Structures are given as structure tokens and as C-alpha cells.
Amino acid sequence: MNILICNVGSTSLKYQLFDMDRDAHVLAAGGAERVGAERSRFYHKNPDTGDSVQMDASFPTHREAIAAMLDHLVGGCIETLEDIACVGFKVVHAKGVTGVQFLTEDVLQAMEAFNSVAPAHNPPYLSAIRQFQALLPHTPLIGAFETAFHAQLPPEAYLYPIPIELSRKYAIRRYGFHGASLEYLTRWTEKAMGRTDLRLILCHLGGSGSLAAVKHGVCIDTTMGLGLQCGVLQNNRIGDMDPYVIFYLAEECGMTLPEIKTMLQTKSGLYGLSGGVSNDLRDIQLAAEAGNEDCRNAVKTYAYGIKKYIGAYTAALGGVDAVVFGGGIGRNSALVRSLALEGLACLGLQLDPEKNAAAKGGMDLSATGSPARIYVVDTNEELMVAQKARALLLRTRDAARKGDTL
Ligand code: ADP
């Protein structure tokens, strides 16, 4: 069974085609960049043959990028479009819907209903999914919602202290995101430690990031909320902040609500704190090393936010067996890991500086004698989505077969 997993950004498309009958072997991988710009870029690789393509292209919308992807798949590693059993998406947010779902019109409308709280994620996904519907009308489209991993949060972790009737009426609560990565980190750590009765603090730190507290395999708290604009700060989006900053800016500082919203979701986080130097931590670390005070403070503020949540989640879990870092920053920034864990020997977390400096995916970075483990993991969100899509397809086929024989 071949499953195509597509990751959609507002100007990008990334894909991997898995052969699920060969241990999720990757048949092809590629993507499109700068979709919507004057000149776009397309790349495609077939790991079995080593064939690869990189070229300039014209992708005014995701539709042309999807068509290029399908062109390269057919006649490459598959013969016809029918060799794709389904397309899976790591979809973000929908009102009243979570888990793994066939992307029916009802589900798409539920996603649309939360466009305003996931403005960077839901609209591009919706538009790309509609293009897939047009280009692959007979192929099932399946979404694995990022919120699903957090479905068992207890009320004390998901309630916001506003009038409860408002929360009920408008479905306002903490949902949590990055579920595919957080689930992968959980399963990876359970396997590495040979146990499932673990108290884990997971740090998925990418351009967008969140932490989660996981007890015995179940997420009991997480840093993201109704939307993706809270918790630890993001590359260009706000993290935790007193909501009254918004009223102050609107009522006293002459900004309109749309201006404030744009500022919070595109000009804040690392980008905002660094004074606009970059939204990429690599650039900010370099500028900090060169003496830029704002960049130095941006890195420190970011790591301090992570440290505070590690402390809070150790309390919530009643101790910690492992802290696990994943995502582009969690995997690659020794500086962020060391700042975030500095002084946490009191919680049983002792980082080995040499292992930290030479970290590779799958390594235990804890010092000899550290009571708790510190792992860095190459997360694999696409694999999680492919496994879930496959399970849903098999369940559905099974149910249809049983229905047939009744
Ligand atoms: P996304 O959330 O967009 O999927 P990734 O998980 O790929 O992001 O992480 C991207 C981020 O990882 C970049 O914005 C960059 O800041 C950070 N990053 C990647 N490599 C390094 C590195 N060597 N050192 C510090 N940060 C890095």
C-alpha cells in the first residue's frame, strides 16, 4: 500500500511517498518552494535509484505544484495514480473534529470554522486539499489532526478562566498542536527506555514549537492553546503574553486590531525580539555571537521560556524520567538545549556538555549519573501520519467487507 504524505505551507509543498508494505520505505520525496512567487522551485528524489531533479518552475498556486509532483511520481516509482492508496495530511485544527478523518466536506467546513485561530495553517491546507480533490477525484484524502495527541488533557489543563458559558458556546479551550511529532517522540523514547510508564517532557522546537507533559503515554498538558500563538515563543509568532498588551496597543498606541493581529503572527517571536534580524535561530545565534544585544536577549528569552515549562511540567508529572528534544531547533541548537537545562540538576536533569555539543539524532545527552535522561531525536511526523492513514484505510475496508457479508 503506497501512501502519499503532503505537508502544506502557505508558499510550500513537501511530500513523501511511502510503501507501507515495505516497512514505510520511502519511494520518493520532494517539494515545491516559493509557490505564488514569480519563480518557484521544484525538487524530487527517488532514493532507490538515486535519481533527483531540481529545477525552476512556475507555480502560481499549489495546483501547479501538485500537478508537477504527480507527473514526477507517475512513470517514476509508480505506474499510475491508482497506485496511490490515499493522500495523508498533517492537518492542524478543526472545530469539533479531531483524530484521523477522511477529508469530507463536513470536515473541511470544520477546519474553515477555525481559520481565524490557525491563520497560517488552515487556509493553505484547505486550498491545497481542494486542489487535490480536483486533481485526484478518486483517491481518498485523509487528515491526521495535530490536536489528537492532546485529546485526553484534563479540565485543569485545558480550561481558560473566562466565563464557562463562553468557553462552551464557542469551543474555547486549550487544544494543543504538533501532535504527530510529539507522538513520534513519545513512542521513540518508550522504545529507547524499554518502558511505557514514563514521565516525559517533550520539546518539539521548530519554526513553530511546543512542549508537552506526557504521563504513561498520555499527554496531560501542553503549551499551545486555542490557537498556535501561545506557549514558548515561535520564529515570527508570539508566545505567552499578557492579553492586555493588545488592548493597550489598540486603545492607547494607535494600532488597529488587524495591525496588531498581523504583528503578533508575523513580526513577533524571535523575529520581533531580534529587532527584525531574522526569524531563523541560526542567524540570530550568529548575530548574538557577534555582539548583537537584542539577538542575545532573543535566544535567552526563548530558552528561559522552555526552562520554565520544564519546571512546571516536572511539577505536573510529579518528577521527570526524560526530556526529549526534537524539531529543527531542538535537534540542532546545542546553545538552546544548554541554556534551557542550565541549573536543572535540582530536577534530576544533568546535561553532558560534550555530548550536547556533538549531538546527533537518537543520542542520550545526559551526564553519567544523571537521574533523568536527555534525548535528542530526529522526529518523523510524516511517518506518524502515514501509519494513521493506513490504519484508517484498513479499518474502513474491513468494515466494508464485514458489511458486505452481513
Ligand atoms: P518547521 O517548524 O518550519 O517545520 P523545523 O523543525 O524544520 O521547522 O525547524 C526550523 C528551524 O530550525 C529554523 O527556523 C531554524 O531556526 C532552526 N535550525 C535549524 N538548524 C539549526 C541549527 N543548526 N542551529 C540552530 N537552529 C537551527
Side-chain angles (χ1 to χ4, degrees), residues 15 22 25-30 43-53 72-73 75-78:
Y15 60 86
R22 280 202 290 154
H25 178 72
V26 177
L27 295 171
Y43 54 96
H44 177 93
K45 188 165 182 179
N46 178 337
D48 285 336
T49 59
D51 291 345
S52 70
V53 176
H72 279 79
L73 290 173
C77 53
I78 55 172

mmCIF file of all heavy atoms in Angstrom, residues 15 22 25-30 43-53 72-73 75-78:
data_model
loop_
_atom_site.group_PDB
_atom_site.id
_atom_site.type_symbol
_atom_site.label_atom_id
_atom_site.label_comp_id
_atom_site.label_asym_id
_atom_site.label_seq_id
_atom_site.Cartn_x
_atom_site.Cartn_y
_atom_site.Cartn_z
ATOM 1 N N TYR A 15 6.552 16.569 0.131
ATOM 2 C CA TYR A 15 5.858 15.283 0.066
ATOM 3 C C TYR A 15 6.814 14.120 0.208
ATOM 4 O O TYR A 15 8.019 14.225 -0.063
ATOM 5 C CB TYR A 15 5.066 15.171 -1.245
ATOM 6 C CG TYR A 15 5.908 15.267 -2.490
ATOM 7 C CD1 TYR A 15 6.526 14.138 -3.031
ATOM 8 C CD2 TYR A 15 6.107 16.490 -3.114
ATOM 9 C CE1 TYR A 15 7.318 14.230 -4.173
ATOM 10 C CE2 TYR A 15 6.899 16.591 -4.251
ATOM 11 C CZ TYR A 15 7.498 15.460 -4.777
ATOM 12 O OH TYR A 15 8.283 15.558 -5.885
ATOM 13 N N ARG A 22 6.430 -2.253 2.862
ATOM 14 C CA ARG A 22 7.878 -2.481 2.986
ATOM 15 C C ARG A 22 8.423 -1.599 4.105
ATOM 16 O O ARG A 22 9.314 -0.792 3.916
ATOM 17 C CB ARG A 22 8.582 -2.162 1.658
ATOM 18 C CG ARG A 22 8.459 -3.307 0.657
ATOM 19 C CD ARG A 22 9.585 -3.205 -0.375
ATOM 20 N NE ARG A 22 9.407 -2.073 -1.262
ATOM 21 C CZ ARG A 22 10.411 -1.462 -1.888
ATOM 22 N NH1 ARG A 22 11.657 -1.829 -1.700
ATOM 23 N NH2 ARG A 22 10.159 -0.459 -2.710
ATOM 24 N N HIS A 25 8.925 2.158 3.588
ATOM 25 C CA HIS A 25 10.066 2.516 2.738
ATOM 26 C C HIS A 25 9.702 3.764 1.919
ATOM 27 O O HIS A 25 8.611 3.862 1.362
ATOM 28 C CB HIS A 25 10.351 1.325 1.804
ATOM 29 C CG HIS A 25 11.458 1.582 0.851
ATOM 30 N ND1 HIS A 25 12.771 1.628 1.258
ATOM 31 C CD2 HIS A 25 11.456 1.816 -0.485
ATOM 32 C CE1 HIS A 25 13.533 1.890 0.205
ATOM 33 N NE2 HIS A 25 12.760 1.997 -0.860
ATOM 34 N N VAL A 26 10.629 4.726 1.853
ATOM 35 C CA VAL A 26 10.345 5.964 1.114
ATOM 36 C C VAL A 26 10.643 5.741 -0.375
ATOM 37 O O VAL A 26 11.785 5.497 -0.764
ATOM 38 C CB VAL A 26 11.171 7.156 1.664
ATOM 39 C CG1 VAL A 26 10.913 8.414 0.848
ATOM 40 C CG2 VAL A 26 10.827 7.406 3.121
ATOM 41 N N LEU A 27 9.593 5.813 -1.200
ATOM 42 C CA LEU A 27 9.744 5.602 -2.644
ATOM 43 C C LEU A 27 10.170 6.883 -3.354
ATOM 44 O O LEU A 27 10.867 6.842 -4.366
ATOM 45 C CB LEU A 27 8.415 5.130 -3.247
ATOM 46 C CG LEU A 27 7.910 3.758 -2.787
ATOM 47 C CD1 LEU A 27 6.496 3.533 -3.286
ATOM 48 C CD2 LEU A 27 8.844 2.668 -3.307
ATOM 49 N N ALA A 28 9.684 8.009 -2.831
ATOM 50 C CA ALA A 28 10.035 9.294 -3.449
ATOM 51 C C ALA A 28 9.803 10.398 -2.426
ATOM 52 O O ALA A 28 8.974 10.258 -1.522
ATOM 53 C CB ALA A 28 9.169 9.549 -4.679
ATOM 54 N N ALA A 29 10.553 11.474 -2.593
ATOM 55 C CA ALA A 29 10.378 12.625 -1.705
ATOM 56 C C ALA A 29 10.697 13.873 -2.499
ATOM 57 O O ALA A 29 11.518 13.840 -3.423
ATOM 58 C CB ALA A 29 11.318 12.517 -0.506
ATOM 59 N N GLY A 30 10.046 14.953 -2.166
ATOM 60 C CA GLY A 30 10.335 16.190 -2.888
ATOM 61 C C GLY A 30 9.491 17.326 -2.390
ATOM 62 O O GLY A 30 8.885 17.245 -1.311
ATOM 63 N N TYR A 43 11.761 20.246 -6.493
ATOM 64 C CA TYR A 43 12.793 19.208 -6.330
ATOM 65 C C TYR A 43 12.118 17.878 -6.066
ATOM 66 O O TYR A 43 11.021 17.817 -5.480
ATOM 67 C CB TYR A 43 13.787 19.574 -5.208
ATOM 68 C CG TYR A 43 13.134 19.877 -3.877
ATOM 69 C CD1 TYR A 43 13.024 18.894 -2.893
ATOM 70 C CD2 TYR A 43 12.615 21.142 -3.604
ATOM 71 C CE1 TYR A 43 12.416 19.171 -1.674
ATOM 72 C CE2 TYR A 43 12.001 21.417 -2.395
ATOM 73 C CZ TYR A 43 11.913 20.420 -1.427
ATOM 74 O OH TYR A 43 11.290 20.686 -0.235
ATOM 75 N N HIS A 44 12.763 16.810 -6.528
ATOM 76 C CA HIS A 44 12.160 15.482 -6.435
ATOM 77 C C HIS A 44 13.288 14.474 -6.395
ATOM 78 O O HIS A 44 14.272 14.599 -7.128
ATOM 79 C CB HIS A 44 11.277 15.237 -7.668
ATOM 80 C CG HIS A 44 10.657 13.873 -7.702
ATOM 81 N ND1 HIS A 44 9.395 13.628 -7.196
ATOM 82 C CD2 HIS A 44 11.121 12.691 -8.175
ATOM 83 C CE1 HIS A 44 9.121 12.344 -7.356
ATOM 84 N NE2 HIS A 44 10.147 11.752 -7.954
ATOM 85 N N LYS A 45 13.151 13.468 -5.531
ATOM 86 C CA LYS A 45 14.218 12.472 -5.440
ATOM 87 C C LYS A 45 13.613 11.078 -5.316
ATOM 88 O O LYS A 45 12.598 10.882 -4.630
ATOM 89 C CB LYS A 45 15.086 12.774 -4.207
ATOM 90 C CG LYS A 45 16.304 11.919 -4.168
ATOM 91 C CD LYS A 45 17.336 12.431 -3.184
ATOM 92 C CE LYS A 45 18.524 11.487 -3.318
ATOM 93 N NZ LYS A 45 19.616 11.738 -2.541
ATOM 94 N N ASN A 46 14.238 10.124 -5.994
ATOM 95 C CA ASN A 46 13.868 8.720 -5.853
ATOM 96 C C ASN A 46 15.044 8.031 -5.146
ATOM 97 O O ASN A 46 16.065 7.761 -5.782
ATOM 98 C CB ASN A 46 13.631 8.131 -7.256
ATOM 99 C CG ASN A 46 13.282 6.660 -7.195
ATOM 100 O OD1 ASN A 46 13.613 5.973 -6.233
ATOM 101 N ND2 ASN A 46 12.604 6.185 -8.231
ATOM 102 N N PRO A 47 14.917 7.778 -3.832
ATOM 103 C CA PRO A 47 16.074 7.245 -3.090
ATOM 104 C C PRO A 47 16.558 5.893 -3.608
ATOM 105 O O PRO A 47 17.751 5.603 -3.514
ATOM 106 C CB PRO A 47 15.556 7.102 -1.648
ATOM 107 C CG PRO A 47 14.315 7.908 -1.586
ATOM 108 C CD PRO A 47 13.753 7.983 -2.972
ATOM 109 N N ASP A 48 15.672 5.086 -4.203
ATOM 110 C CA ASP A 48 16.093 3.760 -4.685
ATOM 111 C C ASP A 48 17.062 3.855 -5.860
ATOM 112 O O ASP A 48 18.027 3.108 -5.940
ATOM 113 C CB ASP A 48 14.882 2.928 -5.111
ATOM 114 C CG ASP A 48 14.132 2.427 -3.885
ATOM 115 O OD1 ASP A 48 14.772 2.326 -2.816
ATOM 116 O OD2 ASP A 48 12.922 2.170 -3.996
ATOM 117 N N THR A 49 16.768 4.764 -6.779
ATOM 118 C CA THR A 49 17.620 4.863 -7.963
ATOM 119 C C THR A 49 18.673 5.960 -7.810
ATOM 120 O O THR A 49 19.623 6.022 -8.583
ATOM 121 C CB THR A 49 16.773 5.214 -9.202
ATOM 122 O OG1 THR A 49 16.121 6.469 -8.930
ATOM 123 C CG2 THR A 49 15.720 4.157 -9.502
ATOM 124 N N GLY A 50 18.449 6.843 -6.851
ATOM 125 C CA GLY A 50 19.361 7.981 -6.692
ATOM 126 C C GLY A 50 19.021 9.116 -7.658
ATOM 127 O O GLY A 50 19.655 10.166 -7.639
ATOM 128 N N ASP A 51 18.003 8.906 -8.531
ATOM 129 C CA ASP A 51 17.623 9.968 -9.477
ATOM 130 C C ASP A 51 17.088 11.174 -8.713
ATOM 131 O O ASP A 51 16.279 11.020 -7.794
ATOM 132 C CB ASP A 51 16.488 9.476 -10.417
ATOM 133 C CG ASP A 51 17.008 8.412 -11.374
ATOM 134 O OD1 ASP A 51 18.235 8.285 -11.489
ATOM 135 O OD2 ASP A 51 16.157 7.700 -11.967
ATOM 136 N N SER A 52 17.518 12.342 -9.131
ATOM 137 C CA SER A 52 16.943 13.523 -8.498
ATOM 138 C C SER A 52 16.806 14.648 -9.503
ATOM 139 O O SER A 52 17.539 14.703 -10.501
ATOM 140 C CB SER A 52 17.777 13.959 -7.296
ATOM 141 O OG SER A 52 18.987 14.480 -7.732
ATOM 142 N N VAL A 53 15.837 15.513 -9.238
ATOM 143 C CA VAL A 53 15.540 16.633 -10.133
ATOM 144 C C VAL A 53 15.508 17.891 -9.277
ATOM 145 O O VAL A 53 14.960 17.875 -8.175
ATOM 146 C CB VAL A 53 14.115 16.453 -10.732
ATOM 147 C CG1 VAL A 53 13.730 17.654 -11.588
ATOM 148 C CG2 VAL A 53 14.001 15.169 -11.510
ATOM 149 N N HIS A 72 5.927 13.676 -11.666
ATOM 150 C CA HIS A 72 7.208 13.033 -11.349
ATOM 151 C C HIS A 72 7.027 11.684 -10.672
ATOM 152 O O HIS A 72 7.896 10.824 -10.766
ATOM 153 C CB HIS A 72 8.069 13.959 -10.490
ATOM 154 C CG HIS A 72 8.766 14.992 -11.316
ATOM 155 N ND1 HIS A 72 8.123 16.131 -11.773
ATOM 156 C CD2 HIS A 72 10.023 15.034 -11.817
ATOM 157 C CE1 HIS A 72 8.960 16.833 -12.496
ATOM 158 N NE2 HIS A 72 10.118 16.192 -12.547
ATOM 159 N N LEU A 73 5.897 11.511 -9.980
ATOM 160 C CA LEU A 73 5.665 10.214 -9.317
ATOM 161 C C LEU A 73 5.285 9.147 -10.345
ATOM 162 O O LEU A 73 5.833 8.048 -10.347
ATOM 163 C CB LEU A 73 4.547 10.343 -8.265
ATOM 164 C CG LEU A 73 4.903 11.154 -7.014
ATOM 165 C CD1 LEU A 73 3.670 11.348 -6.131
ATOM 166 C CD2 LEU A 73 6.008 10.455 -6.213
ATOM 167 N N GLY A 75 5.272 7.114 -13.562
ATOM 168 C CA GLY A 75 6.337 6.869 -14.544
ATOM 169 C C GLY A 75 7.702 6.869 -13.877
ATOM 170 O O GLY A 75 8.700 6.507 -14.486
ATOM 171 N N GLY A 76 7.741 7.276 -12.606
ATOM 172 C CA GLY A 76 8.978 7.188 -11.832
ATOM 173 C C GLY A 76 8.877 5.952 -10.953
ATOM 174 O O GLY A 76 9.153 4.837 -11.382
ATOM 175 N N CYS A 77 8.383 6.151 -9.733
ATOM 176 C CA CYS A 77 8.332 4.997 -8.822
ATOM 177 C C CYS A 77 6.960 4.314 -8.829
ATOM 178 O O CYS A 77 6.807 3.244 -8.230
ATOM 179 C CB CYS A 77 8.722 5.422 -7.425
ATOM 180 S SG CYS A 77 7.760 6.804 -6.864
ATOM 181 N N ILE A 78 5.952 4.918 -9.446
ATOM 182 C CA ILE A 78 4.653 4.230 -9.589
ATOM 183 C C ILE A 78 4.207 4.317 -11.048
ATOM 184 O O ILE A 78 4.695 5.170 -11.801
ATOM 185 C CB ILE A 78 3.555 4.830 -8.664
ATOM 186 C CG1 ILE A 78 3.419 6.343 -8.895
ATOM 187 C CG2 ILE A 78 3.840 4.516 -7.205
ATOM 188 C CD1 ILE A 78 2.244 6.965 -8.169
#
